[in-house]
Amino acid sequence: MSKSLLLKTILVLILVLAVVGGYHAFYFIERLDKEITERFDGKKWQLPTIVYARPLELYPTMNLSPELFEKELQLADYRKENPVTAPGGYWRDASHFTLTTRDFHFPGGVERSTKLQIIFNGNRIDSLRSPETGKELSFIRLDPAKIGSFHPQIHEDRLVLRSPEIPHLLRQGLMAIEDKDFNSHLGVSPMAIARALTANITAGKTVQGGSTLTQQLVKNLFLDPERTLSRKLTEAIMAILLELRYSKDEILTAYVNEIFLGQDGARAIHGFALASQFYFHMALEDISVGQMATLIGMVKGPSAYDPRRHPDNCRNRRDLVLRLLWQDNLLSQSEYKSALSESIYDIDQQRNGLNRFPAYLDLVRMQLLSEYQKEDLQGNGFKILTNLNPQIQWQIEKSLSDTAATLSNSGKNKELQGAVVITGRENGEVLGLAGGTNPLASGFNRAIDANRPIGSLVKPAVFLTALERGYTLASPLSDTAIHIEDGDSGWSPQNYDKKEHGRTPLYLALAKSYNLATVRLGMDLELENVISTLKELGCTVPLRPYPSLLLGSIDMSPLQVSQLYQTLASGGFHLPLRSIQSVITPDNKLLTRYGLKVEQRFSPPVIQLLTHGLERVVSEGTGSSYPFSSNHSYAGKTGTSDGLRDSWFAGFSSAYLAVVWMGRDDNKPTSLTGASGALRVWGNIMERLDSDAGAPATSLSQDIVWARISTDNHHENSARQYRSTLLPFIVGTEPNQNTATRQSTATGINMKVIEDGARNIFKTLNDLFQ
């Protein structure tokens, strides 16, 4: 081949390669450009949904101890400092508190930051005052504690800032430390590369990088951490494309929100706004010069310069940043010296509320997923305001954990577990929930997922069915042996004490939880009617008309049991249980409000009769073993499944409804009945929550009258013999309407109150002589 032909061939090949290479390069660049614009013009980040507890509302005379108040402040991530310099700070001097609340957008509008002085007198708020004006305040609502978040799969978290919200020092400081040529380069800075190369050769190691802020943003937003020449080339091309498409301000704003600045367990801390809260418990605009320099310095290596784990490294890096800022005239001499004297990290280590209550978050997630797609909850940055009351939640956790630990000393009670649900009696708000004895454990949530036989907790539904059909609390029942044929086999239930008690009034059969009387009553009423009552109460599990249903052969979770008893506690009105108050969008617009939904299912006078029967359970029946204070009155029911595998108590006071379950996850027997296990937890919780509570039935219907009956023959007893008791009746159903002992609730004298007082006196005397 001649030289000229060879030269032509080579030129043709070069031309072909150039065309092919250019073609592929063009489409490669076009693909990168499309990826950049789709990300930048669309939603740059998947923002987690943040879940909040109920806001703490304060007013003079409120019952609240200084210790609990401080615990609530710490849960809400308030920092302890003296003096209080910015929102989110507080200081305590014995019973005096000084604090500055933070702005918060509630569904009804924004609650602005407020400076407060709060003085306690014992366990009560004595006064609320503005320290600026000295004016007494009648009410204040604090910003609520963050108790959890629902993250995208990448588990990144950030608070997104708009350009005007970026502090001037941060903007100028990033350029001074990370990219001096930011305002003049086109994504890649040859001068920065040359400076870094010179510094690294002089030091004999890598001490400085040549990447611009734009390249760092590209690396974080679009690329993996692989360190190859091709990836570096891609990074440079994308940086140039980004600069051609978007302004410097847009790029810097994205950088401030994207940069990785630390790790909180599985949660990655991105952006300066969240890092400021994470490390210093302050909003970015409120942190000091020294703290701002600390964050800027951490860009180089968040782990190596973590102020909590490596304070010496962090201090050296911060001081270097401060010196460079001063040399660039971004700080005055006095600002520089003052910042150098700051402690590197003087924030008390305290556990805030974030993901502190995993069991309650399970309930929030479950209720949200009934209305929202999972993707919406994990990426749109919603704010969820819940009904969680931290003070109630702490009491639940302590009582369950302590009681389970005490009971576990018995051989059969090893590995004892439990669950608790507490709601507001009048509104169905779920105020606290424990899914196990370890409050921090996630996974199997027994309050929601443990479906266990409910035992005698079903009996109020049987007796309610009877009361609706004309029975009274004095109606005689037969507590005698019964055999029910069921196909080829039969069923012969027994009482817990293996005895028969003969003729007994309805209220006593309920109070003593007599199985034989309950089964006979339920069969007389017909099973389908009892099932109808259970459904009206709120039961959603499948129910089969088997006689064993009358003794609780129904598997339900504590949450499902709570829904049943909520209808009883609220006077016959069905209230769906609610863990959520409202859902708010990232721009603080109300998306959904979860208001009160009420549907009357039962007659209030009939429910009042049943409530009295449930009060008798606690005062003289299967729940009487717990030493309740004499000035409290509660209504509830014990429940125990076959083989002592499940211990239950469900009941209510004037303010709260609580359901407690105890048992073993492997379904092995324990030594616990409902009274010896669950009731101990229930009583411990309710006595502490309800220190000011009275009787659950605080106001009786005008359709109710009281009459005294003999406990021997269950008829009217006008002589008020020793063996007699007062019972409520619906007007017209009392044994003898003409007797002088009948007391209407409309009269000035309530014999029930007098009798209860006398009973309490005798009980107190009896306790003294025991």
Side-chain angles (χ1 to χ4, degrees), residues 474-697:
S475 294
L477 303 180
S478 175
D479 188 63
T480 55
I482 181 173
H483 180 81
I484 300 174
E485 294 295 336
D486 184 15
D488 297 333
S489 61
W491 181 52
S492 298
Q494 291 182 312
N495 282 324
Y496 180 75
D497 61 4
K498 304 295 191 287
K499 299 178 181 179
E500 298 177 28
H501 303 92
R503 180 183 167 97
T504 184
L506 184 146
Y507 84 88
L508 194 61
L510 174 59
K512 300 293 186 180
S513 199
Y514 291 155
N515 290 339
L516 300 178
T518 303
V519 172
R520 283 187 173 278
L521 176 62
M523 297 304 293
D524 288 344
L525 294 168
E526 298 184 358
L527 291 171
E528 290 295 347
N529 290 325
V530 175
I531 288 174
S532 176
T533 297
L534 283 166
K535 290 180 178 179
E536 286 293 290
L537 285 171
C539 180
T540 56
V541 303
L543 299 172
R544 297 181 179 181
Y546 296 152
S548 58
L549 174 145
L550 299 170
L551 297 184
S553 62
I554 311 168
D555 290 352
M556 299 181 73
S557 70
L559 184 68
Q560 291 170 327
V561 171
S562 298
Q563 184 64 78
L564 258 65
Y565 276 74
Q566 186 71 50
T567 306
L568 299 179
S570 60
F573 293 88
H574 181 261
L575 307 173
L577 300 185
R578 297 175 295 125
S579 64
I580 305 167
Q581 292 183 12
S582 56
V583 179
I584 300 173
T585 63
D587 56 354
N588 300 309
K589 294 180 180 178
L590 179 64
L591 187 62
T592 309
R593 188 191 296 273
Y594 293 82
L596 190 64
K597 297 179 181 179
V598 181
E599 180 186 349
Q600 185 173 349
R601 298 280 179 89
F602 300 95
S603 165
V606 171
I607 294 295
Q608 288 171 6
L609 298 185
L610 182 65
T611 297
H612 179 81
L614 294 175
E615 288 177 344
R616 293 290 187 117
V617 171
V618 177
S619 64
E620 62 190 77
T622 56
S624 62
S625 61
Y626 189 88
F628 286 105
S629 172
S630 60
N631 61 338
H632 294 169
S633 182
Y634 301 103
K637 186 70 189 73
T638 54
T640 310
S641 67
D642 288 344
L644 303 182
R645 289 176 169 82
D646 301 278
S647 170
W648 290 91
F649 194 86
F652 45 92
S653 68
S654 61
Y656 305 109
L657 162 73
V659 174
V660 178
W661 168 86
M662 300 193 79
R664 291 174 55 134
D665 288 340
D666 59 11
N667 202 33
K668 290 182 179 180
T670 69
S671 63
L672 304 176
T673 64
S676 62
L679 176 58
R680 291 178 62 175
V681 178
W682 192 95
N684 190 278
I685 294 171
M686 296 296 267
E687 282 272 277
R688 283 163 174 75
L689 294 183
D690 250 348
S691 58
D692 299 321

Side-chain angles (χ1 to χ4, degrees), residues 197-234:
L197 185 61
T198 301
N200 294 338
I201 292 174
T202 302
K205 59 181 180 179
T206 302
V207 296
Q208 185 174 329
S211 294
T212 63
L213 289 175
T214 312
Q215 286 176 278
Q216 292 180 43
L217 176 61
V218 166
K219 180 173 62 177
N220 280 276
L221 267 182
F222 302 104
L223 304 176
D224 56 47
E226 181 184 23
R227 301 174 72 92
T228 63
L229 183 60
S230 61
R231 203 224 64 157
K232 197 67 179 175
L233 179 62
T234 301

Side-chain angles (χ1 to χ4, degrees), residues 57-230:
E57 298 177 344
L58 305 175
Y59 53 88
T61 74
M62 177 181 181
N63 288 324
L64 178 66
S65 71
E67 290 72 27
L68 266 181
F69 179 58
E70 185 169 26
K71 195 173 181 180
E72 286 247 20
L73 291 177
Q74 292 174 350
L75 187 78
D77 211 22
Y78 274 67
R79 66 194 176 278
K80 194 172 185 178
E81 61 182 13
N82 189 21
V84 177
T85 59
Y90 82 96
W91 182 251
R92 178 184 178 183
D93 182 9
S95 60
H96 291 61
F97 284 80
T98 302
L99 68 144
T100 303
T101 67
R102 294 175 288 229
D103 287 353
F104 193 84
H105 289 266
F106 291 98
V110 63
E111 196 93 18
R112 294 296 179 189
S113 174
T114 304
K115 294 182 179 180
L116 292 174
Q117 284 183 345
I118 304 174
I119 300 175
F120 286 80
N121 183 2
N123 292 333
R124 185 176 63 85
I125 294 179
D126 193 53
S127 70
L128 296 174
R129 183 181 296 119
S130 168
E132 297 174 320
T133 64
K135 180 182 178 182
E136 292 285 341
L137 304 174
S138 60
F139 174 85
I140 195 71
R141 178 169 55 173
L142 303 188
D143 46 296
K146 296 178 184 177
I147 60 170
S149 55
F150 302 144
H151 285 266
Q153 292 183 348
I154 53 177
H155 274 261
E156 291 183 0
D157 199 0
R158 58 174 52 79
L159 296 173
V160 177
L161 296 174
R162 296 176 295 110
S163 176
E165 297 171 324
I166 300 175
H168 177 75
L169 181 60
L170 174 60
R171 189 185 295 270
Q172 298 301 316
L174 282 172
M175 289 188 281
I177 304 302
E178 294 292 324
D179 191 354
K180 289 184 177 295
D181 303 321
F182 177 73
N183 285 321
S184 58
H185 66 63
L186 196 61
V188 178
S189 175
M191 292 296 295
I193 296 173
R195 282 196 303 269
L197 185 61
T198 301
N200 294 338
I201 292 174
T202 302
K205 59 181 180 179
T206 302
V207 296
Q208 185 174 329
S211 294
T212 63
L213 289 175
T214 312
Q215 286 176 278
Q216 292 180 43
L217 176 61
V218 166
K219 180 173 62 177
N220 280 276
L221 267 182
F222 302 104
L223 304 176
D224 56 47
E226 181 184 23
R227 301 174 72 92
T228 63
L229 183 60
S230 61

Side-chain angles (χ1 to χ4, degrees), residues 240-265:
I240 294 171
L241 291 172
L242 195 62
E243 292 273 356
L244 291 173
R245 284 280 188 182
Y246 301 98
S247 69
K248 291 288 185 181
D249 182 66
E250 289 174 300
I251 293 170
L252 185 60
T253 300
Y255 180 90
V256 166
N257 289 312
E258 171 59 27
I259 193 67
F260 171 72
L261 287 170
Q263 197 75 31
D264 179 25

